Amino acid sequence: MSWIDIGHIDDIPLRGARLVKTPVGCVAIFRTAEAEVFAASNACPHKAGPLSEGIVHGQKVTCPLHNWVFDLNTGEAQGADEGRIATFPVRLEGERILLDGVAVGKRSAA
Amino acid sequence: MTKKLIVIGAGMASGRMLEHLIDAAPGAYEITLFNAEPRGNYNRLMLSPVLSGEKTYEEIVTHDAAWYEERGVTCRFGEKVVAIDTEKKVVTGENGALPYDKLVIATGSNPFIIPLPGHDLEGVIPYRDLEDTEAMMALGAGKRAVVIGGGLLGLEAAAGMAARGTEVDVVHIMGHLMERQLDEAAGYLLRKSLVDKGIRIHCKANSKQILSDGNGHVRALQLDDGTELPCDLLVMAVGIRPSTALGKEAGLEVNRGIVVDDHMVTSNPDVLALGECVEHAGAIFGLVAPLYDQAKVLAKTLLGEEARFVQKEVATKLKVTGCDLFSAGDFAEGEGREDIVFRDPARGVYKRLILEGNRLIGAVMYGDTADGAWFHGLIKDASDVEEMRETLIFGPAYQGGAAADPMAAVAALPRDAEICGCNGVCKGQIEDAINAGAGDLGAVRAKTKASASCGTCTGLVEQILGATLGDDFVIPAAQSICGCTDLSHEDVRQLIKSQELKSQEAVWQELGWTTRNGCHVCRPAVNFYLLADWPLDYVDDPQSRFVNERNHANIQKDGTYSVMPRMWGGMTTPQELMAIAQAAEKYGATVKVTGGQRIDLLGVKKEDLPAIWHDLNQAGMVSGHAYTKGLRTVKTCVGSEWCRFGTQDSTGLGIALERRLWGSWTPHKVKLGVSGCPRNCAEATCKDVGIVCVDSGFQIGVAGAAGMDVKETERLVDVRTEEEAIEWTVAFVQLYREHAKYLDRPYKWVAKVGLDWVKETLADAAERQALVERFDISQSVYQKDPWAERAKPEVARRFHPLADLTLEAAE
Ligand SMILES: Cc1cc2nc3c(=O)[nH]c(=O)nc-3n(C[C@H](O)[C@H](O)[C@H](O)COP(=O)(O)OP(=O)(O)OC[C@H]3O[C@@H](n4cnc5c(N)ncnc54)[C@H](O)[C@@H]3O)c2cc1C
Ligand code: HEM
Ligand code: SF4
Ligand code: SF4
Ligand code: FES
């Protein structure tokens, strides 16, 4: 892994999300609680709805276009819908958010 | 010859270590104990009960003079050690030097003092030792104190002083109390208990400076927003720093703390250390449980026995009477986790368990912490809990039994809780009527009038029937809002009003929500109910809104947005049209004339939104709210100003209405129309509120529809003047805001409550006036152009990606 500092925890509103552009496409960073973050692909597998614009509840997000719900731990669609979004390692170090660069296609630092 | 042991610091860690050492091998060492405080070892944890008056200092002394004497420990209390020479193996105290064979550093930690202007004033203290405690005890009734820091120590200090009659304000920088140990729900309950004790809590509050009374003594704390909190004493409890200065000067390896290995030996083989001053495997310590483990290990190491210190999960409790909380393990961050939530509003209980795979990894509890130790055990032992997953949250006693009761929230209501808002009927009256023989809804209505008017509270009355009569009454299945609750929209609305629930956490807890913070179905509804009923207390939460209302633009199917400025009553000017044309060109937007008499700019990229808003703002235009559950448009015809049939100034009335109503949030969208004569060119008779002008005045119709359903408006009232027309319209909209279910358009709501009830309510001039006043209060908060706010740079930033990792850094 190669942890990349992508910003401060307060750059993301509580129960909100922000985008990070990466070589594998847009990754949404979700803040589900004061000190709890998840990273997942921004595109809904249904019709590519922008998940970073969805309502974040518990450790889940609801797609803003047709209300598919995804568990941010596993990326699995919940209930009757079938599909999965990619999830990426992300963690907090103090108040900084670190995203795994390798997982999002960044070549690791030499 | 016995070896010489010197111990620096007579605190909780070294005290425990001495007990182990002397018990195991009395006389193995000749011991000298230095302590900066002028006393021996006492139970520092228990300072809080001393502060609150529940214990005396004498009761919390761990080792008195006799204890040290019997064990031959030489005490040099009130003497600080100022230097260590590890080469010569000599320690220098304020009163002279002394050689050692083995040295133990147990200097604990120093409270952190934020270097605010004024931090060195008299009356600014930390909370660490007996002197601090005595300073707080000396305040008593009639005095005021401010505590900075809403963590464990700060709250114990606050509660202790409050128990002695001191007025206390707690200033906390984070969104909820004890955020490191508690989640928001438990933080909400804790806050409530403390507020009940008369303590004022200020969260998300930033301290700016400490003000002096002119004589070098503290007078008040000033916050960032200018608020001044007067005080006679200011207690800072914002964290601790390991006390490492001695170790560092002696040349020992020091990071955040004095580095020790598993045997509690520092980088020098003859110097050992333990307690809050050490760092072990990257961790530092702030609670006693691990220090006691260290004490055991260090004593063994001194006796040449093998022992290793292993870090374990620690649990937190707060020692404030009446605030029963427990937290253990990890309840934040991480992948593959699952929550189990249980709430009992009647008892003020909240429990949340965090599972990872088959293991319990964290627990947060408030109100009933009896099972804390059991959960803590499961966490520490990493037990497999798969078998008891379903009933785990009920604790060891319930394994195999009981599930949550869906009627708990209503059963928990006090007798004076207002159930029927129309007729002012409380739960107690309904219960009495039922006990006196009213066995069904009709009988309760006849006896008490509860639910006899608009009928919105029918569900609650039925639940009270069920709770009172038990199995004799079958509650008709009402539609609950969603899987997070068994209550219906109407139930929740009524309870938010009557129980004065003013925050999301209050709703989740008091109404027994089964999830941490709702879902995409209930949270937007609850957010609306709260802001509609408590405009001055509740702050709108953008994260509880659907994307269009959060971004203040309509998301389109390709992920771009449409932008639609307001055109008051469908009127515009050449200047506005030019600004719109320029914006369209600059941001590559498609231009469409809408059905709502205005112009839509389609296909704008999210990043460009703040800029295009700024441009339109510059030309004097504000958001048209074409995306909100709120006032959309007021469609007008040209009226008496131009049309030969016109009877009144329909355009002017439309503009006046739009200017009064814009910016307000409503249960669903609201559209108005005003036509200048019964020819009705503005199609007013299919609007939520449609006004048709006639010679004698204005005909106000409501509850029309022109969507999936098409429905003509029904006549609410005929009035003579424009002022009356505006008053009735505003009152109608406010009544709708206060009573309708989220996502019911007015025509659906009116069908439920009945036009007659609406007419009757609004016919009362005093009631009408009160509704208008409440609407205006809400508008004082919400009639703001969302574009202007979001075009500000610090907010606009949020519309851009947080980071761009596609760019390679220059090598
Ligand atoms: C009010 C309060 C409530 C608390 N409640 C809890 C609780 O509920 N649960 C919990 O687990 N923990 C609690 N704690 C924390 C707990 O008390 C500490 O973790 C524990 O006391 C640390 O023990 P220690 O021996 O490392 O340090 P201390 O007990 O602080 O002892 C260090 C001693 O070293 C002395 N010293 C420092 N430098 C020198 C020097 N140069 N020369 C000589 N002497 C020196 C100091 O005067 C002090 O007496 C509480 C703390 C406070 C202040
Ligand atoms: C996501 C779904 C929808 C979108 C994107 C949408 C979009 C629009 C837009 C942009 C306008 C112009 C409004 C203005 O000037 O403010 C409009 C007008 C209108 N919409 Fe919708 N709409 C939607 C759903 C609906 C629904 C569900 C209904 C019916 C219940 C409806 C009924 C109308 C009517 C009647 C008008 C004309 C208003 C008038 O002439 O006064 N729309 N719509
Ligand atoms: S509604 Fe009447 S007043 Fe208005 S434009 Fe039509 S004909 Fe003229
Ligand atoms: S009528 Fe249908 S397709 Fe047209 S804008 Fe309204 S919702 Fe969209
Ligand atoms: S695109 Fe996400 S639910 Fe349809």
Side-chain angles (χ1 to χ4, degrees):
Chain A
M1 294 204 179
S2 82
W3 295 107
I4 302 179
D5 186 326
I6 52 170
H8 189 274
I9 180 75
D10 287 337
D11 289 336
I12 309 180
L14 186 56
R15 290 183 291 279
R18 289 285 296 277
L19 277 188
V20 173
K21 288 189 175 171
T22 76
V24 298
C26 280
V27 169
I29 312 292
F30 298 91
R31 181 179 183 190
T32 47
E34 287 281 0
E36 185 177 83
V37 287
F38 292 92
S41 155
N42 186 45
C44 178
H46 178 217
K47 293 190 175 176
L51 294 173
S52 59
E53 305 287 11
I55 288 186
V56 177
H57 48 99
Q59 294 176 327
K60 304 193 183 97
V61 64
T62 299
C63 178
L65 293 198
H66 317 94
N67 289 340
W68 282 26
V69 179
F70 298 90
D71 184 330
L72 294 171
N73 291 295
T74 58
E76 292 292 342
Q78 305 291 288
D81 301 317
E82 280 190 29
R84 198 180 158 276
I85 47 174
T87 58
F88 304 97
V90 65
R91 68 187 178 92
L92 282 175
E93 193 166 290
E95 303 190 324
R96 306 301 303 178
I97 308 165
L98 306 184
L99 179 66
D100 180 13
V102 175
V104 297
K106 214 53 195 157
R107 66 187 153 84
S108 63
Chain B
M1 199 184 78
T2 47
K3 286 190 280 184
K4 293 191 184 64
L5 172 69
I6 292 182
V7 179
I8 309 177
M12 302 202 54
S14 69
R16 182 57 70 92
M17 183 280 289
L18 288 175
E19 288 175 11
H20 287 305
L21 180 69
I22 297 171
D23 274 359
Y29 284 95
E30 188 188 315
I31 304 170
T32 304
L33 179 58
F34 283 89
N35 200 22
E37 282 184 71
R39 59 184 71 85
N41 185 14
Y42 60 92
N43 189 340
R44 196 176 298 284
L45 273 62
M46 288 296 153
L47 283 175
S48 295
V50 170
L51 173 59
S52 63
E54 288 159 77
K55 281 211 162 34
T56 63
Y57 171 66
E58 286 65 38
E59 288 176 86
I60 71 163
V61 171
T62 324
H63 298 155
D64 56 13
W67 190 92
Y68 292 114
E69 202 178 308
E70 278 162 28
R71 288 159 184 79
V73 176
T74 309
C75 301
R76 291 176 66 164
F77 294 158
E79 180 177 357
K80 222 177 142 170
V81 169
V82 292
I84 303 169
D85 186 333
T86 51
E87 219 130 90
K88 295 197 190 120
K89 297 177 79 171
V90 171
V91 158
T92 309
E94 287 164 326
N95 301 331
L98 198 71
Y100 67 81
D101 296 304
K102 292 281 177 187
L103 175 66
V104 173
I105 304 180
T107 47
S109 57
N110 299 320
F112 180 63
I113 297 284
I114 316 170
L116 291 174
H119 71 272
D120 44 9
L121 287 170
E122 223 175 285
V124 178
I125 60 166
Y127 184 20
R128 182 74 192 170
D129 58 24
L130 186 62
E131 278 72 23
D132 303 329
T133 311
E134 284 171 343
M136 289 188 257
M137 289 162 70
L139 279 181
K143 298 278 186 174
R144 299 192 53 155
V146 167
V147 176
I148 304 184
L152 186 102
L153 275 192
L155 296 181
E156 288 188 5
M161 287 189 281
R164 290 184 179 266
T166 307
E167 261 189 68
V168 185
D169 285 279
V170 174
V171 174
H172 190 49
I173 194 162
M174 303 302 287
H176 68 269
L177 297 172
M178 290 184 68
E179 78 286 348
R180 287 197 299 171
Q181 291 91 7
L182 300 183
D183 58 12
E184 288 166 286
Y188 157 79
L189 282 170
L190 173 59
R191 179 192 184 115
K192 197 171 139 187
S193 313
L194 293 170
V195 168
D196 283 346
K197 290 180 190 295
I199 299 170
R200 283 182 293 262
I201 310 273
H202 313 263
C203 282
K204 286 195 182 142
N206 241 320
S207 303
K208 187 171 173 202
Q209 57 174 331
I210 304 170
L211 304 173
S212 159
D213 67 352
N215 295 317
H217 196 278
V218 58
R219 170 174 67 80
L221 174 71
Q222 192 183 50
L223 304 180
D224 252 2
D225 64 5
T227 313
E228 278 186 24
L229 303 171
C231 59
D232 303 293
L233 188 73
L234 187 142
V235 182
M236 268 202 215
V238 293
I240 52 172
R241 299 281 179 275
S243 166
T244 58
L246 267 184
K248 197 177 265 174
E249 280 164 29
L252 301 175
E253 188 189 343
V254 172
N255 289 332
R256 284 192 295 165
I258 300 172
V259 177
V260 293
D261 62 14
D262 290 352
H263 306 288
M264 308 311 295
V265 179
T266 67
S267 56
N268 181 310
D270 292 320
V271 182
L272 297 83
L274 82 168
E276 283 183 345
C277 60
V278 306
E279 174 176 327
H280 172 264
I284 57 175
F285 306 87
L287 293 172
V288 290
L291 308 190
Y292 287 166
D293 290 342
Q294 294 177 356
K296 235 180 265 174
V297 171
L298 195 148
K300 289 208 162 152
T301 307
L302 280 177
L303 296 172
E305 294 171 33
E306 164 67 23
R308 279 169 189 276
F309 171 62
V310 186
Q311 293 180 27
K312 295 202 191 101
E313 283 298 341
V314 292
T316 312
K317 285 200 134 195
L318 181 73
K319 300 183 300 302
V320 173
T321 312
C323 300
D324 214 3
L325 66 82
F326 175 90
S327 123
D330 192 352
F331 54 90
E333 292 179 74
E335 312 239 327
R337 292 189 178 177
E338 194 188 326
D339 280 324
I340 303 176
V341 176
F342 169 81
R343 307 186 201 240
D344 180 349
R347 294 186 299 138
V349 170
Y350 166 79
K351 301 183 185 184
R352 181 172 148 231
L353 301 179
I354 299 89
L355 294 148
E356 195 166 62
N358 298 336
R359 316 229 177 281
L360 183 65
I361 59 160
V364 187
M365 287 186 261
Y366 197 92
D368 170 7
T369 55
D371 300 330
W374 186 66
F375 289 126
H376 191 200
L378 294 177
I379 297 172
K380 274 198 299 202
D381 304 342
S383 311
D384 186 334
V385 297
E386 190 55 37
E387 293 286 285
M388 46 188 174
R389 204 180 185 92
E390 295 299 309
T391 52
L392 185 64
I393 196 135
F394 301 110
Y398 286 84
Q399 287 320 313
D405 176 6
M407 283 192 311
V410 172
L413 293 173
R415 276 179 58 86
D416 63 1
E418 188 181 84
I419 299 298
C420 173
C422 297
N423 297 302
V425 187
C426 297
K427 182 183 171 193
Q429 287 165 271
I430 298 171
E431 281 174 340
D432 293 345
I434 298 169
N435 290 328
D440 59 27
L441 191 62
V444 171
R445 275 184 185 160
K447 266 226 165 92
T448 65
K449 296 194 72 171
S451 80
S453 294
C454 80
T456 310
C457 60
T458 305
L460 288 175
V461 175
E462 284 168 347
Q463 292 196 45
I464 296 170
L465 272 161
T468 313
L469 298 176
D471 294 340
D472 294 341
F473 183 82
V474 182
I475 304 177
Q479 271 257 293
S480 72
I481 298 183
C482 61
C484 303
T485 177
D486 288 306
L487 298 170
S488 71
H489 281 273
E490 287 77 9
D491 299 346
V492 170
R493 277 221 89 161
Q494 174 59 18
L495 294 173
I496 284 176
K497 287 188 184 57
S498 76
Q499 298 312 100
E500 305 202 357
L501 308 177
K502 299 183 181 179
S503 67
Q504 288 192 9
E505 287 303 339
V507 171
W508 308 150
Q509 177 60 34
E510 305 303 338
L511 303 185
W513 242 249
T514 57
T515 46
R516 241 163 95 183
N517 43 37
C519 67
H520 66 273
V521 178
C522 60
R523 212 164 77 215
V526 166
N527 183 56
F528 168 74
Y529 297 153
L530 286 166
L531 74 85
D533 284 332
W534 309 108
L536 301 180
D537 301 282
Y538 177 74
V539 183
D540 177 39
D541 174 26
Q543 302 311 324
S544 299
R545 296 194 166 279
F546 294 114
V547 53
N548 291 349
E549 299 191 333
R550 191 171 344 111
N551 288 343
H552 282 273
N554 259 335
I555 192 166
Q556 305 295 329
K557 64 177 207 178
D558 62 354
T560 65
Y561 291 79
S562 85
V563 169
M564 200 184 306
R566 225 168 245 299
M567 282 182 181
W568 308 99
M571 299 296 286
T572 185
T573 62
Q575 288 73 30
E576 285 183 354
L577 288 174
M578 282 189 274
I580 291 173
Q582 273 162 8
E585 211 166 54
K586 182 162 164 193
Y587 301 100
T590 299
V591 186
K592 165 92 177 71
V593 173
T594 74
Q597 296 191 339
R598 41 206 197 162
I599 292 175
D600 197 358
L601 301 174
L602 296 137
V604 180
K605 288 198 285 294
K606 184 179 178 188
E607 298 89 288
D608 287 338
L609 288 173
I612 188 170
W613 293 338
H614 174 80
D615 291 358
L616 294 170
N617 272 167
Q618 291 302 94
M621 283 175 276
V622 299
S623 168
H625 292 93
Y627 42 80
T628 58
K629 295 167 186 42
L631 178 80
R632 296 284 180 88
T633 66
V634 180
K635 206 163 161 176
T636 68
C637 72
V638 294
S640 58
E641 189 91 334
W642 300 96
C643 176
R644 62 197 160 108
F645 298 113
T647 60
Q648 311 277 356
D649 178 10
S650 52
T651 324
L653 176 57
I655 291 172
L657 282 169
E658 189 163 358
R659 292 216 178 257
R660 186 72 175 267
L661 296 170
W662 76 278
S664 62
W665 298 102
T666 43
H668 206 312
K669 53 189 173 183
V670 171
K671 297 175 180 177
L672 272 59
V674 185
S675 290
C677 81
R679 285 166 195 78
N680 195 14
C681 296
E683 295 160 344
T685 52
C686 61
K687 295 288 184 260
D688 298 300
V689 179
I691 300 179
V692 176
C693 305
V694 288
D695 279 331
S696 60
F698 305 84
Q699 301 174 336
I700 303 178
V702 295
M708 305 260 233
D709 296 321
V710 179
K711 178 178 167 293
E712 191 180 342
T713 50
E714 297 173 71
R715 189 71 58 81
L716 179 66
V717 70
D718 291 351
V719 295
R720 299 199 61 79
T721 66
E722 203 173 285
E723 287 69 48
E724 288 172 289
I726 294 173
E727 182 190 312
W728 277 82
T729 304
V730 171
F732 174 80
V733 170
Q734 179 65 8
L735 194 66
Y736 168 60
R737 297 180 75 233
E738 290 180 5
H739 288 270
K741 163 178 173 272
Y742 190 62
L743 299 187
D744 264 358
R745 285 290 286 271
Y747 78 97
K748 290 212 168 136
W749 167 67
V750 169
K752 282 182 188 166
V753 299
L755 184 65
D756 288 340
W757 177 78
V758 175
K759 276 182 172 168
E760 221 170 275
T761 309
L762 295 179
D764 177 345
E767 182 58 40
R768 209 163 59 235
Q769 201 46 50
L771 283 162
V772 170
E773 269 166 33
R774 290 201 291 276
F775 182 78
D776 287 342
I777 288 174
S778 172
Q779 287 297 74
S780 72
V781 178
Y782 287 106
Q783 195 170 61
K784 292 205 181 81
D785 178 26
W787 288 358
E789 296 188 354
R790 281 161 188 77
K792 290 181 197 146
E794 59 290 4
V795 187
R797 218 163 35 92
R798 298 235 151 150
F799 287 80
H800 292 268
L802 181 60
D804 187 347
L805 303 182
T806 55
L807 308 168
E808 284 295 335
E811 308 287 304

